Amino acid sequence: MSIRTTTAVDYVEDVSPGTGALPPRAWYASSDAASLSLNGSWRFRLSPTADAEDDSFAEPGFDAGHWAQIAVPGHWALQGHGSPIYTNHLYPFPVDPPRVPTENPTGDHLHVFDLPSDWPSDGGTVLRFDGVESCARVWLNGTDLGEFKGSRLPHEFAVGHLLQPGGNVLAVRVHQWSAGSYLEDQDQWWLPGVFRDVTLLHRPAGCVLDFFVHASYDHTTGEGTLKVESDVDGRVTVPALDIDVATGESVTVPVEPWTAETPRLYDGVLATEGERVPLRIGFRTVVLEDGLIKVNGTPLLFKGVNRHEWHPEKGRALDPETMREDVLLMKRHNVNAVRTSHYPPHPAFLELCDTYGLWVIDECDLETHGFVEQAWRDNPVDDDRWTPALLDRAARMVERDKNHPSVVIWSLGNEAGTGRGLTAMAEWIHHRDASRLVHYEGDIDCRDTDMYSRMYAFHEEVERIGRGLDGGTGKRRELPFVLCEFGHAMGNGPGGIADYQRLFETYDRLQGGFIWEWIDHGIKDERYGFAYGGDFGEELHDGNFVCDGLLFPDRKPSPGLVEYKKVIEPIRFEGDAADGTVRVRNAYDFADLSALAFVWSFQVDGVDVESGRLPVPPLGPGESAHVKLPRPPEAGDGETQWTVRALLASDTAWASAGHQVAWGQFPVAARPPVRVVPSGAPRSGDGRITLGPASFDARTGALMSIGAVDVTGLRLDVWRATTDNDDGAPWQSDVRHGPAWRKLGLHRMRHRLDAVEPTGDALTVRTRVAPAAREVALATVYRWTSDGDRLRLTVSVAPEGDWTVPLPRLGVRFGLSGAADRVRWFGGGPGEAYPDTRAASELRRWESTVDGLQTPYVRPQENGARADVRWAELGGLRIEGDPEFWFSARRWTNERLDAARHLTDLVPGDTVWVNLDHGQHGIGSQSCGPGPLPQYFLAAEPAEFSFVFSEVG
Ligand code: IPT
C-alpha cells in the first residue's frame, strides 16, 4: 500500500471544473456506431472521508468480492449506504468556499466488463457519464482518466487505447462534497452517486463529432431553412422534404413548423464518412420582438411547471418510463411548458419534449442560494476564480442540448445572486446560440437576460408589471415578463392560480408562468409512507418544504394539478342561458380545433338527462364563435344546467380519443328552495327532548339521534388542521393566518352552554364559543325545528370582541358510526375544492367512500372539502344545505389530523367525523408566495345557515 499524500484529493476542493474530459458536444444516439451500456450492478465501498482509502482499488486485479453491490445508475444514500439530507437553501456544511468538510462520504464504485465480441477494433471509444453527484475521479484499467464536477452534466473521456476485449476494470471514486457543491445548492435532497447512465460509445474513423442543427421557420412565407453545421463534413438528408445537402449548406423549403401544440418533426440523417446519425428536425424561430417572446411570429403564453427529476425510490435516477410518464401527465393536464429546474434533465427527457410538444426552458446546473445568508459575500458567481467552472457548465448544457427544437430558452441557473460569472455565461450563450433567448431570475435589472423573470410576485404587482407601471431600468421596461415560479404547490393548494391566469390573459406583457413545482420529493419509507426533511436525522433540514409538487411522490395527480389543468385549459366556454348559446373560444396559440370533438349534456338535479354533439366551427387560434345549444329538455321543478366538453376526437400520442381537454357549465333553472314547515313542538321527558325524528339530551341540548342514526358531538367548528399555505413561510412579511389562528386559540375553542329552550315549535340552544385567555367569542345559537320527518338546524353566529383575523372555517361537525362508508352527494367534485381552488369543481352527482374523500398530502393537513354541496348522504343520513355547503368526512378528528406529521400517523377510529361548513378560508400560496386574496377571506362576521337532516334507507 502506498503512503498517500494530502494532495491526492486536492481536486475535490479545486474550483476548476476538472481535468481529462473531452470538450462537450451534442448528445445523440448513433444509427450505426456501436455502444455498450455499463449500467447495472457494480461493486461499492463507502468511506467516511475523501482520503480514507488509497486508489489501489482502481488497479486491475483488485479483489472487491467482499464489497457491497449497488445499482448504477443510482444514489448510494437510497440504497442503504448513508442517508439523504434535505435542505432548501442552507449549505449542510460550513460555508468556506471552496473548502468542504473532512467528513466527506466517498463512494468507490467498481465495474468489470467485457467488450462484446463484435466490438469494432478501428477508431476510438469514449466513456460517457451522463450525471454523477458531485465530483468523480475515473480510472480505466488502472489508468487515471481525470476528474470532473458538474453533477447533472455529461462528461466524456477518450478510452479507446485502454480497452481490452475482456476484464476491463472501470473504477469511479465519487465524493459527496466538492467545490462543485457550492454551485449546486438547489432546494432538493443532497444525493451523491452515479445517478445517470454510464455508456461506452464506439467512435468509428470519420465519425460525426459535434453538430448544430439550425432549423428556422419563416411564418410569412411558410418556409423552413435548414443548415447543419458539423465538425466533420458530411451530407444531410431529409426524405420527406427532398433535402439532400452538404453540411454547412443551407436549404429553404416549404415545411410545417414545430410548436409545442403541433410538434411536427422531420426525420433526417447526418452522414459522414464513418457514421450516420438520425436527426429529428423541428423548424421554429424564437425571437424577442415588440417586447414579446415570439415563436414563428406568435407570442407565447407559458402554462408551465417547474420540473425537478424525482422518483420516490430512485431519487434523481429516472428510468425512461418515468420520464415519459411525466411528459404524458403534463400533456394530459394542458401543461405546455417546462422549466428544467434547476439543472439540465436527463437528455432523454428533452427528446420526449420534442416528440410530444412542450416548450422548454433548459436551466443550467447552478445555484449558490446559501450565500444569501451572508448577504451574497464570497458568492462564486461574482468571483473570477470560479468563472471557468461556470462557463464549463454553460457549455456542457448548451452543447449537449442545442439540437432540441423544444428548447426555446436557456436559463443561467437559479438563485445565484448576480455577478460577473453570470454575465460571462450569458455572453457566451448569446454568442454560441443566437437562435434562443436567455433567462435568469435573480437579476432584477435584466442585465444579462432577454426577459424579466420573477418568482412568487403577488397578483397586484404582477398586474402592475402587466400594465408596465413597475418602473425598473430602461432595459427591463422593454422586456416581456414571466413568472418562472408561482403557485407554490406545497400541501393543500396552490390557491389563487385562476387569478394569475386571468392577469396573464389580460396583459400581453405577461407571458405566463411556471408552477412551483411538478412533484413532491417524498422518499418511500417503511416508517412513514413517504419521508421528508428531518426523517433521516439531519442536523439541519427544511422539513416537508421538499414536498411541494402538483404530483404526489407516487405520481398521482394532486387536486392542485387538476385545478391547474382547468385554469389553463385551451378552450374556453361561456354560456348564456338566456339566449341558449355558448361562446367557444380557441385559446391555443397555434392549433386549430380539428383535433377536438365537442359535446353537450343537460343535467337535472346533477344527473344527465340528455346529451349530444355540439357543432363547433373549426376555429383558428384566438378565434371564438357563438354556438346554439338545443332546446332544453323539460325538467319539472329541478335544478338544471348545461355541461359542455371538448374531447380528443381521436387518439393522440399522449392520450386516447375521448380524453377531456376542457369543459364548462352554465346554470339554467335555479335550485328550488329547501322548505321544512315546522309542525309539532319539542317534548321533554326521561332526560330527553324529542322533536320530530330527533332526540336530544335535555340538560345540554346535544343532539343524540335522528331516527335510528346515532349522532355525537354536533357543535360549531371553526378549526382546520392548518395547511402548509395557512402556516406560511417564516420569511413572509404579510400576516400568516395559521400561526395567528393558533395564537388566538382557535384550535382550542370552549363551548359554554347558556340556555336550552324547548319553546314553541323549536328547540333553541344558546352557547358562547371562545378560546381560553381571550375576549373574542362567537355567540352561537342552534335552532332546531321539524316537520315530523325532517329536522332543520339553523345556526346563527355572532362574533363578539375584536376579531382581527379571519376564521379557518365556519360550520358544524358531528360524529357518526364508523360503519358509515358510502357517500353520495350533489355538489362539486369529484375532488376537493376551497374558495380559491375551485375552478375544477364540477357540479353533478358524485359517489365515494369516506377514505376516497381524503387527499393524501405527505404532511397531513386540512383536505377533502367538496364545494357547493346541495345535499349529501352517508351513514343513513341525508343532509340538505340551505344554502349550499362545504362537505368533508374522515375517520379521525381534525385535531388528530392537525397533530399528524406523516400519513402513517392517521389511524382510523370508530367514528366518522363530518364537517358541514358554511364557509372556508381561502388557501393561497403563502408557503412561498402570497396568502389568499382578500375576496377569499372568511371574515368573522354575523352568519346564519341551515341544514336539513333526514333518515335514508
Ligand atoms: C425558490 C427556489 O427557486 C426553488 O428552488 C424552491 O426553493 C422554491 O423557492 C420554494 O419551494 S426560492 C424562494 C425562497 C423564493
Side-chain angles (χ1 to χ4, degrees):
M1 207 161 76
S2 59
I3 306 289
R4 295 175 26 74
T5 65
T6 51
T7 56
V9 290
D10 275 0
Y11 63 92
V12 173
E13 296 182 326
D14 190 334
V15 298
S16 96
T19 54
L22 293 166
R25 62 184 181 119
W27 194 95
Y28 55 85
S30 181
S31 300
D32 43 17
S35 74
L36 176 66
S37 168
L38 300 180
N39 295 347
S41 181
W42 292 25
R43 289 288 174 180
F44 178 76
R45 168 182 70 186
L46 185 64
S47 311
T49 65
D51 60 358
E53 301 282 350
D54 66 19
D55 50 21
S56 57
F57 81 105
E59 293 298 329
F62 180 87
D63 180 8
H66 57 294
W67 285 19
Q69 307 222 13
I70 199 166
V72 170
H75 305 279
W76 68 69
L78 296 182
Q79 298 186 58
H81 307 276
S83 36
I85 299 171
Y86 168 57
T87 57
N88 166 12
H89 76 281
L90 297 176
Y91 288 104
F93 48 79
V95 179
D96 180 26
R99 303 293 311 277
V100 296
T102 303
E103 295 149 85
N104 188 356
T106 291
D108 288 333
H109 296 68
L110 207 56
H111 184 56
V112 180
F113 64 92
D114 300 335
L115 292 178
S117 54
D118 58 353
W119 191 263
S121 53
D122 70 313
T125 295
V126 303
L127 170 63
R128 184 173 67 208
F129 295 90
D130 281 317
V132 182
E133 179 170 332
S134 83
C135 169
R137 183 165 187 176
V138 187
W139 297 262
L140 185 64
N141 293 332
T143 299
D144 184 358
L145 298 177
E147 20 73 32
F148 63 89
K149 307 180 189 87
S151 298
R152 298 106 201 169
L153 294 163
H155 293 86
E156 290 181 327
F157 296 91
V159 296
H161 56 298
L162 300 173
L163 285 169
Q164 54 202 35
N168 293 286
V169 179
L170 174 60
V172 187
R173 170 163 285 176
V174 181
H175 307 283
Q176 171 153 21
W177 309 122
S178 70
S181 305
Y182 283 97
L183 305 181
E184 296 174 3
D185 191 25
Q186 292 93 344
D187 174 8
Q188 60 179 348
W189 295 98
W190 298 88
L191 283 176
V194 182
F195 73 97
R196 285 186 191 157
D197 310 288
V198 183
T199 317
L200 214 51
L201 301 160
H202 179 240
R203 304 282 65 223
C207 66
V208 171
L209 288 174
D210 191 17
F211 61 95
F212 199 161
V213 175
H214 302 275
S216 59
Y217 179 73
D218 182 340
H219 66 278
T220 62
T221 61
E223 289 176 325
T225 298
L226 177 69
K227 180 169 103 174
V228 179
E229 289 172 348
S230 173
D231 285 3
V232 174
D233 291 344
R235 289 205 77 77
V236 175
T237 47
V238 186
L241 296 174
D242 266 341
I243 290 177
D244 183 348
V245 290
T247 53
E249 206 176 288
S250 80
V251 52
T252 299
V253 290
V255 297
E256 291 169 41
W258 188 97
T259 74
E261 293 167 7
T262 54
R264 177 67 163 107
L265 290 172
Y266 290 92
D267 287 329
V269 174
L270 164 60
T272 59
E273 198 192 324
E275 187 178 21
R276 293 162 52 83
V277 170
L279 305 176
R280 296 183 344 129
I281 302 160
F283 292 88
R284 92 272 173 287
T285 291
V286 186
V287 293
L288 179 65
E289 187 182 81
D290 311 324
L292 294 172
I293 302 165
K294 294 185 186 175
V295 173
N296 304 339
T298 301
L300 297 186
L301 189 56
F302 292 117
K303 300 167 173 174
V305 291
N306 280 279
R307 174 182 181 268
H308 265 291
E309 296 183 309
W310 189 250
H311 184 281
E313 288 160 277
K314 298 179 198 145
R316 290 187 284 276
L318 258 58
D319 55 281
E321 248 331 290
T322 303
M323 296 183 226
R324 188 160 174 274
E325 207 182 329
D326 276 351
V327 170
L328 295 182
L329 280 165
M330 288 176 192
K331 293 293 290 185
R332 290 173 189 162
H333 289 88
N334 294 334
V335 168
N336 75 359
V338 196
R339 173 177 177 231
T340 70
S341 56
H342 297 304
Y343 41 81
H346 188 289
F349 178 76
L350 298 177
E351 300 214 314
L352 293 165
C353 294
D354 296 342
T355 305
Y356 293 94
L358 286 165
W359 307 114
V360 176
I361 299 185
D362 195 358
E363 189 151 277
C364 198
D365 191 1
L366 174 63
E367 172 157 347
T368 62
H369 204 164
F371 286 88
V372 74
E373 294 289 311
Q374 52 200 61
W376 297 106
R377 192 170 12 82
D378 295 336
N379 184 4
V381 311
D382 200 25
D383 177 337
D384 293 338
R385 286 172 298 176
W386 291 83
T387 303
L390 304 187
L391 290 173
D392 180 71
R393 284 168 188 251
R396 285 186 190 280
M397 168 179 73
V398 171
E399 300 302 359
R400 189 194 76 166
D401 297 341
K402 60 184 178 282
N403 293 326
H404 291 286
S406 56
V407 175
V408 288
I409 294 169
W410 301 113
S411 176
L412 304 180
N414 184 58
E415 293 280 12
T418 53
R420 296 187 299 273
L422 286 170
T423 303
M425 288 171 85
E427 281 171 0
W428 185 88
I429 294 174
H430 274 128
H431 182 253
R432 174 68 178 134
D433 181 15
S435 74
R436 292 179 174 95
L437 305 179
V438 169
H439 167 271
Y440 176 66
E441 182 270 349
D443 175 12
I444 199 86
D445 294 329
C446 304
R447 186 201 147 101
D448 304 319
T449 65
D450 299 315
M451 62 210 69
Y452 177 29
S453 173
R454 289 279 302 282
M455 45 175 76
Y456 309 109
F458 287 26
H459 297 80
E460 182 257 316
E461 188 188 5
V462 171
E463 174 145 33
R464 256 186 295 125
I465 296 169
R467 291 176 185 270
L469 302 175
D470 57 308
T473 61
K475 180 180 176 200
R476 191 179 90 188
R477 280 203 296 275
E478 303 302 315
L479 294 181
F481 180 78
V482 296
L483 265 176
C484 69
E485 295 177 23
F486 80 112
H488 198 250
M490 183 180 181
N492 188 334
I497 54 175
D499 307 275
Y500 277 112
Q501 189 62 26
R502 222 166 288 132
L503 295 173
F504 298 158
E505 292 181 16
T506 304
Y507 301 102
D508 291 344
R509 187 189 186 192
L510 309 179
Q511 292 199 264
F514 297 77
I515 295 283
W516 186 268
E517 65 175 304
W518 177 237
I519 184 168
D520 287 343
H521 311 208
I523 295 181
K524 196 157 189 254
D525 186 291
E526 277 180 8
R527 300 164 298 168
Y528 303 125
F530 293 112
Y532 50 78
D535 289 341
F536 301 96
E538 303 107 290
E539 62 181 22
L540 269 185
H541 67 83
D542 288 289
N544 66 314
F545 204 64
V546 79
C547 291
D548 52 0
L550 295 173
L551 295 181
F552 294 112
D554 57 6
R555 288 195 154 64
K556 294 213 175 78
S558 78
L561 183 55
V562 178
E563 172 82 359
Y564 195 41
K565 174 182 179 180
K566 179 76 179 92
V567 164
I568 58 179
E569 61 189 11
I571 310 298
R572 299 302 158 93
F573 299 104
E574 281 164 31
D576 188 341
D579 73 354
T581 64
V582 54
R583 180 170 173 265
V584 182
R585 181 162 67 88
N586 175 354
Y588 283 114
D589 292 326
F590 300 93
D592 63 23
L593 300 186
S594 53
L596 301 174
F598 292 82
V599 293
W600 60 265
S601 59
F602 189 79
Q603 288 87 40
V604 179
D605 292 330
V607 177
D608 287 354
V609 293
E610 262 184 51
S611 59
R613 287 210 156 256
L614 191 68
V616 176
L619 301 170
E623 293 177 355
S624 60
H626 284 270
V627 182
K628 190 99 191 106
L629 289 161
R631 259 182 85 84
E634 240 346 284
D637 61 356
E639 178 179 0
T640 61
Q641 63 186 24
W642 295 104
T643 302
V644 288
R645 303 179 192 279
L647 312 173
L648 285 182
S650 44
D651 293 352
T652 66
W654 47 270
S656 8
H659 164 86
Q660 179 167 293
V661 173
W663 59 280
Q665 287 190 313
F666 325 105
V668 182
R671 179 182 177 218
V674 185
R675 281 214 181 82
V676 177
V677 181
S679 67
R683 286 184 327 233
S684 307
D686 261 355
R688 292 285 169 103
I689 296 171
T690 52
L691 177 63
S695 167
F696 300 84
D697 181 304
R699 196 174 52 79
T700 63
L703 176 68
M704 314 288 290
S705 57
I706 299 169
V709 180
D710 289 338
V711 179
T712 53
L714 187 146
R715 61 189 202 180
L716 191 81
D717 195 5
V718 296
W719 184 246
R720 71 182 185 196
T722 54
T723 65
D724 294 314
N725 285 316
D726 290 335
D727 292 339
W731 63 82
Q732 300 290 10
S733 54
D734 49 342
V735 180
R736 294 190 289 136
H737 288 122
W741 292 336
R742 231 176 265 276
K743 185 160 173 235
L744 192 60
L746 298 187
H747 59 309
R748 48 176 172 78
M749 296 295 260
R750 296 293 167 162
H751 297 243
R752 186 182 79 199
L753 180 62
D754 289 337
V756 178
E757 299 167 351
T759 41
D761 58 10
L763 167 65
T764 305
V765 180
R766 299 182 190 280
T767 66
R768 184 176 189 273
V769 182
R774 307 281 174 212
E775 49 112 29
V776 295
L778 299 167
T780 304
V781 178
Y782 307 86
R783 188 165 187 278
W784 300 92
T785 53
S786 174
D787 62 3
D789 288 334
R790 303 197 299 162
L791 179 71
R792 181 180 185 109
L793 164 64
T794 300
V795 184
S796 313
V797 179
E800 295 175 357
D802 185 13
W803 281 89
T804 55
V805 289
L807 296 170
R809 65 162 11 115
L810 180 67
V812 296
R813 73 144 150 192
F814 56 90
L816 292 176
S817 146
D821 188 34
R822 301 293 317 172
V823 185
R824 300 174 65 224
W825 76 98
F826 172 25
E832 73 181 27
Y834 289 83
D836 53 350
T837 63
R838 62 188 295 165
S841 178
E842 182 182 341
L843 185 62
R844 61 187 299 115
R845 295 271 187 100
W846 302 102
E847 278 190 38
S848 172
T849 59
V850 169
D851 290 340
L853 294 175
Q854 315 307 310
T855 306
Y857 294 114
V858 173
R859 185 191 74 80
Q861 54 196 276
E862 164 66 24
N863 72 83
R866 281 6 186 222
D868 304 315
V869 176
R870 277 77 171 138
W871 57 257
E873 291 176 359
L874 88 163
L877 271 192
R878 178 181 172 93
I879 306 147
E880 289 166 77
D882 183 13
E884 294 79 41
F885 60 101
W886 304 87
F887 173 81
S888 355
R890 49 184 126 257
R891 298 188 179 281
W892 35 80
T893 60
N894 292 329
E895 288 72 17
R896 294 295 296 271
L897 183 63
D898 200 16
R901 292 288 157 258
H902 294 94
L903 285 165
T904 44
D905 296 336
L906 295 173
V907 183
D910 49 16
T911 304
V912 167
W913 291 99
V914 180
N915 275 88
L916 312 176
D917 291 312
H918 179 57
Q920 276 272 1
H921 188 60
I923 295 294
S925 190
Q926 210 184 14
S927 56
C928 194
L933 290 168
Q935 61 266 37
Y936 305 118
F937 276 39
L938 177 60
E941 284 170 351
E944 190 171 282
F945 46 93
S946 301
F947 304 103
V948 174
F949 298 90
S950 51
E951 241 189 310
V952 281

